[in-house]
Structure formats: C-alpha cells, structure tokens
Amino acid sequence: MTMFISGETIFPKRSKLYNLEPIGVGTSMVESLTSYLTRLSNAHNVKVKSIIKYEISPLFESLTYPSTGNSTKFYRNGRIIDGRSLLTMEFINALEKLTTRKDLRYLTLISFRGISNYKVVNSYKKWCPQCLNKMKKENGNIYQPLLWNIQYVKICPLHNSFLHTTCPVCNKQQLPLNSKGNLGSCNSCDAWLGATFSKNDKVDKNEFDVWTSNSIAELIKNTPRMVSSPTDKFIWRLIKHFEDFFFDIKIPIDSLLVHLANKCNSRSEIASSLRFDLLFPHKGDPLCILLKLIYIVEASIQVVHDFTSFSPSSSSIINELKCNKQKYQRKQKLIKDFNYIIQNIRPLPTPEEILKLTGDVDNLLIEYFDHFMEQNELERSNNN
Ligand SMILES: [Zn+2]
Ligand SMILES: [Zn+2]
C-alpha cells in the first residue's frame, strides 16, 4: 500500500508502514515504543535511524529529533521516546499515522506525564534473562517491555529476580535503540542477553523495591482502562485525601512520617526520605514521591486510578497512630481529673464517687488515687 504525505512535495511517494500489532497492550508486560520501533524497522528491513529520519520526523508538528550526524548521539536519545515528553507525543502521533494504529500511546509513559519527570525512563536497557528465554522458547517474538525501562523497576515481578543491566559476555550497557535492530542480544557483541540469570539473585531484595516493581507493573497494566491522566496536583490531592482519613486523630502527614522514621523498621528509611521529598517537592521525581507515599500509608497503587480504593482500616500504621492518640488523650484526661479532685474535693471521694464524678468506665483514676494514698502513707510513716 502507498500513501502521499499531505503538504509534503519535496518528499517522494512513500509506503505506509506495516500495521504491526504491538505486543501485550493491556498487560504489565506491554512492549515499549522503542522496542516496537525496532521491530517495525526490522519488519521493513531498514535501520531504525532511516525510519526516524525519512518517515517519522517529517511528520513532527513542533519538534525535531535531537540528533546530529553522529550515530551514537542519535541512538542515545532513544530513551526519550518511551517516556512522557513532547517528543514522545510526536513519535506516537507520527507512528499512529504511519501504521494507522490507535494504541501506541500505551507503549510509553505519556499517560503519566502529570506525575513523572524526564528521568523516569533509564538511558540504558534493563532485562530479565528468564523472561527473554521464555519469549524465545514460546514464539520467538523477542521484545523489550516498557516496565523494564522504568527507572524504579529493579526486579522482574514474574520471576522475582533482579533485572540485568550489562551483557553477560562483554559487560557493556545496552541502548534501547541501536543500529543493528537487536532485541534480546547485545548491541556490541551480539551475545544472547538471556544467557545467564543467577548472578545477583542471591542478594536480598529490598521490600520497597519488590513492592515498587509490582506496583508499576499494575499501573502499566491498567493504563488503557484509565479514565483520565493524573495531573501535577495529584500528589497534594492524594495527601489531602489521606489526611482527611487521619482527621479524627488530627495527624498531619509530616507527623506520621516522623513517627515512622523513628521506628527503625523497613519503612523508616522510606519515611525519612519521603519527608525530605515533601519539603523540597521540586527536587525529586513526582512518581517516586507518589510511590513512597502510597507504600508508607499501605494503600494499593490502585489509588492512582481510584481514591476510594484506599481503606484506612486496613492500614496498620493509621490504626497504630489512632491507638497511640487515644492512649495520649486518656492520659491527659486522667491528669486533669486527678488534679481537679486533689485541689477541690475534701474528703477525697470513694471509688464509686470517682466514677460517677468523671464518667470514667475504667479503673485507671481509682488506681491513680490508690497509688497516691499509698505514697502518702509511706511518706507519713517514714517521717514518724
Ligand atoms: Zn522475568
Ligand atoms: Zn556483549
């Protein structure tokens, strides 16, 4: 099939690109746009660079692909395509026109542009060797999932093993786009990247890293079903939403973080770094702040799509704070009642009178008085 690009007279008649179906849309293992672009170029038997230069970038509306004649620089910019920038949008629009597909935005993080910055995608690829071997064995359709390219994803949720970052043979890092059109094999020495997979897996996995990888997988899976994209105000709205739940115990998010930071458990470190992030919100990536926040209050990542999915009763930290607050308030009342009685009522009331007077339902104040009387007796006998 051929087509004319409207308004372009300097370019010759060109073929429309294949309507190649992206792999895994609507799953956590959806293909990344750089991977799609590589498979599309391979299907047309041309280099990625040629497709970008002659087919894609002429359709850009406001930007140009940041490249010079230098191939290394050209391929180095590849990571921008999978992210959430204007250039990502230009690639989606151009490729959707060329392939007549409507689902390519799900191969990027464009839906999360309100809550992530340009660093959200790694410069170099990460991969799970076990997943690569599975792809090879199942249908030979090797691709790079979007999930693996996201900075905070360090662990494969399917195999619970660390993602790899260097070639098992030459130890080189891998750019997402390359002149060879390689997927699953090394851009430098062509070695199969699934060759070894036991190297780091003996190392203990951090609970937050495991949670983050699983949560981002969930977020990616749900992207096509999202009603609207979260905006840059999202984090503050979510904090407000969480604080509304803390309202009856009057605990601002900062106090909760201080409380957690002092507990010395797996959440303490995350709590103190989140506290710092919230003091200087423009220094960090909003997505990273969001992940820490959701993890700390023990909500599920689902809360990004639906606030009402957060149930404070299932959050142990909120229950703990509620309980501490009640204990504190009870103690305050005890002291107040005790001082009032000591200063104003003579002779001291009986236990039954104390309960009647204070409306208490426990014996704590009575025990206070018993203790007080004992102390008094003791002092008196000591003085005699
Ligand atoms: Zn895997
Ligand atoms: Zn290599």
Side-chain angles (χ1 to χ4, degrees):
M1 203 189 281
T2 57
M3 69 175 275
F4 294 97
I5 296 172
S6 63
E8 286 285 356
T9 48
I10 50 165
F11 289 98
K13 187 170 99 175
R14 64 192 63 224
S15 289
K16 190 182 188 177
L17 302 179
Y18 297 140
N19 183 294
L20 185 71
E21 190 183 341
I23 300 169
V25 173
T27 72
S28 59
M29 289 290 279
V30 62
E31 179 170 27
S32 63
L33 195 59
T34 44
S35 166
Y36 181 79
L37 193 54
T38 305
R39 287 196 310 119
L40 190 67
S41 309
N42 292 347
H44 282 274
N45 221 351
V46 293
K47 284 185 188 290
V48 172
K49 191 174 179 179
S50 308
I51 280 213
I52 294 179
K53 204 167 163 189
Y54 299 112
E55 301 286 348
I56 296 171
S57 60
L59 297 181
F60 285 175
E61 282 169 13
S62 55
L63 299 171
T64 52
Y65 186 74
S67 68
T68 58
N70 179 327
S71 257
T72 314
K73 265 191 183 165
F74 186 90
Y75 287 113
R76 200 167 286 278
N77 285 314
R79 73 151 193 186
I80 306 169
I81 301 169
D82 292 333
R84 34 75 72 217
S85 66
L86 272 176
L87 196 73
T88 307
M89 207 61 235
E90 294 275 33
F91 266 87
I92 294 168
N93 289 338
L95 275 164
E96 287 193 341
K97 268 181 208 156
L98 291 163
T99 60
T100 67
R101 296 213 62 93
K102 298 276 175 277
D103 48 8
L104 300 185
R105 61 164 43 235
Y106 308 128
L107 281 53
T108 71
L109 289 180
I110 202 74
S111 304
F112 300 102
R113 62 188 174 280
I115 53 165
S116 58
N117 71 12
Y118 70 98
K119 288 182 193 155
V120 70
V121 174
N122 283 111
S123 300
Y124 294 95
K125 289 201 291 191
K126 300 192 290 285
W127 60 90
C128 168
Q130 292 178 79
C131 281
L132 286 179
N133 286 314
K134 194 166 158 261
M135 291 172 193
K136 195 180 195 180
K137 204 171 148 197
E138 277 173 4
N139 51 18
N141 235 348
I142 315 294
Y143 71 98
Q144 175 81 9
L146 174 64
L147 181 70
W148 297 349
N149 289 353
I150 297 171
Q151 196 197 133
Y152 315 111
V153 177
K154 296 176 186 163
I155 290 153
C156 168
L158 298 177
H159 296 104
N160 195 32
S161 53
F162 282 106
L163 297 181
H164 287 224
T165 54
T166 54
C167 167
V169 175
C170 72
N171 223 23
K172 290 227 169 78
Q173 290 182 299
Q174 309 290 318
L175 287 170
L177 292 181
N178 63 85
S179 59
K180 294 177 176 174
N182 278 354
L183 283 162
S185 44
C186 174
N187 299 341
S188 301
C189 74
D190 294 321
W192 172 239
L193 297 177
T196 53
F197 51 82
S198 55
K199 207 167 73 181
N200 319 324
D201 286 343
K202 300 277 178 282
V203 186
D204 271 352
K205 289 164 202 86
N206 173 316
E207 188 193 309
F208 179 64
D209 287 342
V210 174
W211 180 88
T212 298
S213 302
N214 281 295
S215 297
I216 294 181
E218 187 73 14
L219 213 53
I220 289 179
K221 186 178 110 189
N222 292 327
T223 310
R225 288 181 287 281
M226 252 164 78
V227 186
S228 60
S229 299
T231 66
D232 57 351
K233 302 276 186 301
F234 185 81
I235 289 176
W236 308 109
R237 276 176 45 224
L238 190 63
I239 288 178
K240 172 81 180 49
H241 177 73
F242 287 150
E243 284 184 337
D244 284 347
F245 278 115
F246 314 152
F247 187 72
D248 56 330
I249 45 174
K250 293 196 173 54
I251 296 176
I253 193 90
D254 190 58
S255 309
L256 182 137
L257 295 178
V258 171
H259 173 80
L260 271 174
N262 289 324
K263 278 180 77 84
C264 294
N265 62 22
S266 61
R267 280 165 208 261
S268 313
E269 205 182 307
I270 306 293
S272 35
S273 81
L274 176 59
R275 195 166 176 247
F276 180 83
D277 291 338
L278 293 176
L279 289 174
F280 307 101
H282 300 296
K283 290 199 169 184
D285 177 14
L287 183 60
C288 184
I289 299 178
L290 195 63
L291 288 166
K292 289 181 198 169
L293 179 67
I294 294 172
Y295 176 77
I296 284 295
V297 302
E298 296 164 42
S300 93
I301 196 73
Q302 191 61 30
V303 82
V304 172
H305 307 295
D306 176 15
F307 273 15
T308 60
S309 71
F310 174 62
S311 152
S313 59
S314 62
S315 164
S316 66
I317 183 63
I318 292 179
N319 288 332
E320 187 186 313
L321 283 171
K322 220 170 193 166
C323 188
N324 282 353
K325 184 85 177 185
Q326 280 161 356
K327 277 187 199 154
Y328 174 77
Q329 284 169 336
R330 180 75 191 100
K331 201 172 172 189
Q332 294 292 97
K333 185 177 180 295
L334 274 181
I335 294 167
K336 202 174 142 214
D337 288 347
F338 180 82
N339 287 336
Y340 178 84
I341 292 172
I342 287 292
Q343 284 159 19
N344 299 292
I345 303 179
R346 284 297 181 279
L348 288 174
T350 64
E352 291 74 21
E353 284 168 335
I354 290 177
L355 292 180
K356 213 170 164 188
L357 214 61
T358 57
D360 284 355
V361 286
D362 58 31
N363 286 330
L364 279 175
L365 187 59
I366 296 167
E367 284 163 21
Y368 248 56
F369 271 104
D370 284 348
H371 185 69
F372 174 75
M373 306 294 265
E374 273 169 27
Q375 286 295 109
N376 269 2
E377 284 292 324
L378 206 66
E379 270 170 37
R380 213 174 300 147
S381 59
N382 283 347
N383 290 340
N384 291 339

